[in-house]
Amino acid sequence: MMNRRTLGVNFEAGIAEILLWVPQAEQVSIRPDTGNDLLLEQKTRGYWQMRTGELRPGMNYHVVIDGETWPDIHSLYQPDGVHGASSAFDVSGMKWTDQRWENIPLQNYLIYELHTGTFTPEGTFDGIAKKLDYLAALGITAIELMPVAQFPGDRNWGYDGVFPYAVHNSYGGPAALQQLVDQCHRKGLAVILDVVYNHIGPEGNYFGKYGPFFTEKYKTPWGNAINFDDAGCDEVRRYFIENALMWCRDFHVDALRLDAVHAIKDFSPVHVLKELTLALNDLKQCTGKSHYLIAECDLNDHRFIDPLKEGGYGLDSQWIDEFHHALRISAGGKREGYYGDFHGIEDLGAAFEHAYVYHGRYSEHRQKTFGTDPVENQGQQFVVFSQNHDQVGNRMLGERSSALFNFEMQKLMAASVMVSPFLPMLFMGEEYAESNPFLYFVSHTDSELITAVQKGRKAEFEAFHTEGDAPDPQDENTFHRSKLQWEKIGSGTHRTMFNYYQALLNLRKSHPVLRVPDRRNMEVISNKINNTLLLTRWSNEKKIHCLLNFSTRDRECMLPAFKENVSIIFNSASAEWGGPVINNDAFLSSSLIVIPAQSILIFEEYV
């Protein structure tokens, strides 16, 4: 299991080795599209197995369970979609060129989240590959792919996947994904893959035909929970652990982003996330390659990212939505829905200082005291952002920051992320102020499911008191409206914004204070009246002062311990970035600094 994939159809020296878990079956066989049924032999604990030379790479097949034919839930490729035949794929057929690739240290990750279908006109892995030089020039160090597991149709965010091992056919399939990862490594870019281990999508979900993959003990927002601690759970856990190992070992993925781990229900003595950490540690012992686990989790519980030796699950990092929420309210966003729990600049100060805004505080939205304080966790264990697929796409109209905030505020929000002692993440297109929305889209074939999704989107926005109707997720135009407009980068404010982001990323990578996500050597002072924040960070012989003004007026601020040996190293309000300030030297004429409205000034002080 550690050295090679074992579940499903695999190949060794041209021979197919087949292993399926179908515990309730009386008979299981493989039916190639050409040829006779291949009868599997029953083994212990519900497994069925065989070796054969009659099934070869590229051949389509079905699994026959007690006379009924189904696609293979272990399949790596579904060329005709979720209801079609599975295709045998040999993961060892790739000729890798990245043998010398070493994963980037996690603290150096500068992440760019993208959706394969809307990132380029082609909507494919090959399309992404054509933009790698652009991404490298921008300054990011890691791309994060939204889920690529097979989903129904060819338009979907990816969280409706029903074949966790299969790489979506319209994106290019498994061979194209391997090629993309190889090319990313050649360009010096790490690859993060978003995987979904908390639920299986509704259409094309054939797991119930195989075994007890779900349990009625718990419910999730998407139905019955995956069975991680009920009868038969050992094999279910193996299925998902092997999936993670496959992406890292056979596709050379550098990190996995684990979707909504708070929806993974497991009261086993060893939580499945801990088991996953242990499995990747074992994989590193075999391959010498390191891989990271990054969780999406809204529990504000640092146990998920605490080391194994301290009783944690050992995950390497996690997304912090609360930083985004506090930042958005500080910038003047509406306090509606779950944003009603956030109060602006003081909460943003808490996010800088504690990572979790709610770190043992009472939450009006939840009506309870919520969260823990991750005082011992390092800055690289938190991923922050001013936009992501959820926070844009889960708005009814999918508006990006470019549609909600003016040019100066967009620059301030971006810089807030970059100067944080956490890992920054961009959402595709924000670096040039993309104006197209990122909407929620699907391409289901079940009419009842389509209606349910449409009604669900309407109900989702009731808490936000939003008038009108959400764009139809099933409408193909909703998908096309979400594609990036690459032609905009070269002109006007879009070009200015790109240059600004490029400079920010370069500063983050090159400055000895900013490039280290150090939470300890830091001080935060927020001013609720002025809507300003002073962030001071230091390392060895250097100290920086970041003055952030979220108000619509210029504000005065006294720099602490202001000395002559100080220089301004960044000004978002500079004319260079389309701002009103022409002469940055004017800021050094007095210890009383006037911060331009909706801007950030960064001063460097030699200690």
Side-chain angles (χ1 to χ4, degrees):
M1 173 170 138
M2 200 58 58
N3 293 320
R4 59 190 299 270
R5 187 173 181 264
T6 63
L7 295 177
V9 175
N10 298 287
F11 294 93
E12 181 70 25
I15 300 297
E17 299 182 349
I18 305 169
L19 181 66
L20 307 176
W21 183 59
V22 200
Q24 306 302 322
E26 296 294 327
Q27 187 178 81
V28 178
S29 58
I30 295 291
R31 178 172 295 169
D33 280 4
T34 57
N36 300 318
D37 284 10
L38 307 172
L39 189 63
L40 276 67
E41 180 182 358
Q42 189 171 17
K43 297 295 183 179
T44 60
R45 298 181 67 164
Y47 283 101
W48 296 78
Q49 187 177 35
M50 80 170 305
R51 285 172 53 88
T52 178
E54 297 184 45
L55 184 66
R56 296 179 297 279
M59 292 179 63
N60 289 352
Y61 68 95
H62 284 85
V63 177
V64 184
I65 302 173
D66 294 336
E68 295 185 303
T69 60
W70 307 104
D72 181 4
I73 61 170
H74 312 83
S75 164
L76 279 82
Y77 190 34
Q78 293 292 122
D80 298 314
V82 298
H83 303 296
S86 301
S87 179
F89 179 80
D90 184 0
V91 291
S92 65
M94 170 68 182
K95 304 301 182 185
W96 293 95
T97 66
D98 67 348
Q99 289 84 356
R100 295 187 178 182
W101 168 259
E102 293 290 340
N103 199 355
I104 297 169
L106 183 60
Q107 68 177 24
N108 294 337
Y109 268 44
L110 301 172
I111 305 169
Y112 188 97
E113 185 191 25
L114 64 88
H115 175 267
T116 301
T118 56
F119 180 61
T120 65
E122 302 94 327
T124 63
F125 298 131
D126 287 345
I128 296 173
K130 295 175 184 177
K131 298 296 185 183
L132 294 183
D133 286 336
Y134 164 86
L135 293 172
L138 173 62
I140 62 102
T141 62
I143 66 168
E144 178 170 320
L145 302 174
M146 288 175 65
V148 302
Q150 188 73 37
F151 51 77
D154 56 9
R155 307 183 305 277
N156 199 289
W157 279 12
Y159 301 96
D160 288 324
V162 288
F163 287 82
Y165 285 80
V167 181
H168 200 268
N169 59 323
S170 72
Y171 292 167
L177 177 59
Q178 288 180 321
Q179 289 286 348
L180 173 61
V181 175
D182 197 49
Q183 292 178 71
C184 284
H185 290 169
R186 273 187 258 163
K187 302 292 185 181
L189 300 173
V191 179
I192 307 169
L193 180 63
D194 196 339
V195 292
V196 183
Y197 295 157
N198 56 69
H199 75 284
I200 303 295
E203 183 181 349
N205 182 345
Y206 296 109
F207 280 78
K209 308 299 181 183
Y210 282 77
F213 278 86
F214 303 99
T215 175
E216 296 183 359
K217 288 172 60 175
Y218 320 107
K219 299 293 183 183
T220 76
W222 312 283
N224 288 346
I226 292 176
N227 174 22
F228 288 119
D229 67 359
D230 208 348
C233 69
D234 288 358
E235 278 60 52
V236 177
R237 293 163 75 101
R238 176 181 177 179
Y239 178 94
F240 287 97
I241 297 294
E242 279 221 25
N243 181 259
L245 291 172
M246 179 195 76
W247 295 125
C248 295
R249 179 191 57 235
D250 303 323
F251 287 80
H252 292 202
V253 165
D254 300 289
L256 299 175
R257 183 264 191 186
L258 309 175
D259 180 62
V261 298
H262 48 269
I264 293 176
K265 311 297 183 180
D266 182 11
F267 284 91
S268 304
V270 177
H271 194 282
V272 67
L273 293 176
K274 180 178 180 179
E275 185 178 346
L276 177 55
T277 300
L278 291 168
L280 284 189
N281 288 346
D282 288 343
L283 179 64
K284 181 179 181 180
Q285 295 300 313
C286 292
T287 66
K289 303 288 186 180
S290 61
H291 305 274
Y292 306 124
L293 294 172
I294 303 172
E296 179 196 25
C297 183
D298 71 357
L299 298 178
N300 287 17
D301 183 354
H302 58 75
R303 170 179 47 175
F304 287 85
I305 56 174
D306 283 346
L308 295 173
K309 63 182 179 181
E310 295 178 12
Y313 298 158
L315 305 183
D316 297 286
S317 191
Q318 70 166 113
W319 279 23
I320 299 295
D321 281 338
E322 288 192 341
F323 184 97
H324 166 274
H325 301 343
L327 177 59
R328 183 166 292 266
I329 300 305
S330 298
K334 294 180 179 179
R335 294 184 62 228
E336 55 188 7
Y338 52 74
Y339 290 116
D341 232 7
F342 296 86
H343 306 89
I345 201 71
E346 290 179 309
D347 281 349
L348 182 58
F352 275 112
E353 190 170 1
H354 300 277
Y356 304 147
V357 173
Y358 283 87
H359 50 278
R361 290 170 47 184
Y362 184 79
S363 162
E364 292 287 349
H365 181 71
R366 298 177 178 86
Q367 297 185 17
K368 65 177 183 178
T369 300
F370 181 71
T372 60
D373 197 349
V375 291
E376 298 300 325
N377 298 100
Q378 300 176 12
Q380 67 198 43
Q381 295 188 275
F382 304 96
V383 177
V384 296
F385 34 80
S386 66
Q387 303 179 65
N388 69 22
H389 77 272
D390 269 331
Q391 304 306 332
V392 175
N394 282 333
R395 296 183 61 84
M396 190 177 82
L397 300 179
E399 306 102 321
R400 296 167 173 271
S401 294
S402 60
L404 300 171
F405 302 98
N406 65 35
F407 192 70
E408 296 304 312
M409 186 59 80
Q410 291 174 59
K411 291 188 291 179
L412 173 55
M413 294 169 72
S416 301
V417 171
M418 291 297 173
V419 300
S420 76
F422 311 120
L423 298 187
M425 187 179 78
L426 284 60
F427 180 55
M428 62 175 194
E430 76 167 84
E431 74 278 9
Y432 64 89
E434 171 62 63
S435 56
N436 266 358
F438 183 72
L439 298 162
Y440 180 71
F441 44 81
V442 296
S443 51
H444 294 303
T445 61
D446 184 307
S447 59
E448 292 185 4
L449 179 59
I450 293 170
T451 300
V453 170
Q454 291 166 334
K455 290 181 177 179
R457 289 297 286 177
K458 176 65 176 176
E460 185 175 343
F461 300 109
E462 290 178 355
F464 291 85
H465 310 291
T466 304
E467 297 180 0
D469 294 323
D472 182 359
Q474 185 71 19
D475 187 344
E476 188 172 352
N477 186 54
T478 302
F479 167 75
H480 288 297
R481 286 176 58 200
S482 302
K483 281 184 173 277
L484 297 189
Q485 303 172 91
W486 287 92
E487 68 276 8
K488 291 201 168 189
I489 298 176
S491 61
T493 56
H494 298 288
R495 184 67 195 178
T496 301
M497 187 66 86
F498 175 84
N499 292 338
Y500 175 80
Y501 266 81
Q502 193 177 44
L504 268 179
L505 285 160
N506 182 63
L507 182 64
R508 170 79 188 211
K509 289 195 294 188
S510 62
H511 197 278
V513 175
L514 289 175
R515 72 185 178 207
V516 180
D518 182 359
R519 295 180 59 207
R520 290 169 175 79
N521 294 336
M522 179 182 69
E523 182 180 32
V524 183
I525 301 173
S526 57
N527 186 319
K528 183 177 180 180
I529 296 175
N530 287 340
N531 203 21
T532 59
L533 185 144
L534 169 61
L535 171 68
T536 300
R537 297 180 57 192
W538 59 90
S539 175
N540 298 325
E541 299 302 316
K542 289 198 174 181
K543 177 183 287 188
I544 61 168
H545 304 284
C546 306
L547 284 62
L548 293 76
N549 179 7
F550 286 89
S551 77
T552 56
R553 298 171 50 191
D554 294 353
R555 297 295 190 184
E556 292 182 343
C557 178
M558 179 75 75
L559 272 182
F562 194 92
K563 300 177 182 178
E564 292 183 359
N565 57 336
V566 70
S567 60
I568 184 167
I569 59 173
F570 198 83
N571 172 17
S572 70
S574 170
E576 181 181 7
W577 316 124
V581 176
I582 298 176
N583 182 11
N584 288 340
D585 292 338
F587 290 112
L588 299 177
S589 63
S590 170
S591 61
L592 189 66
I593 302 298
V594 178
I595 319 170
Q598 302 175 332
S599 73
I600 181 172
L601 304 176
I602 305 177
F603 292 88
E604 181 179 71
E605 176 185 349
Y606 295 91
V607 181

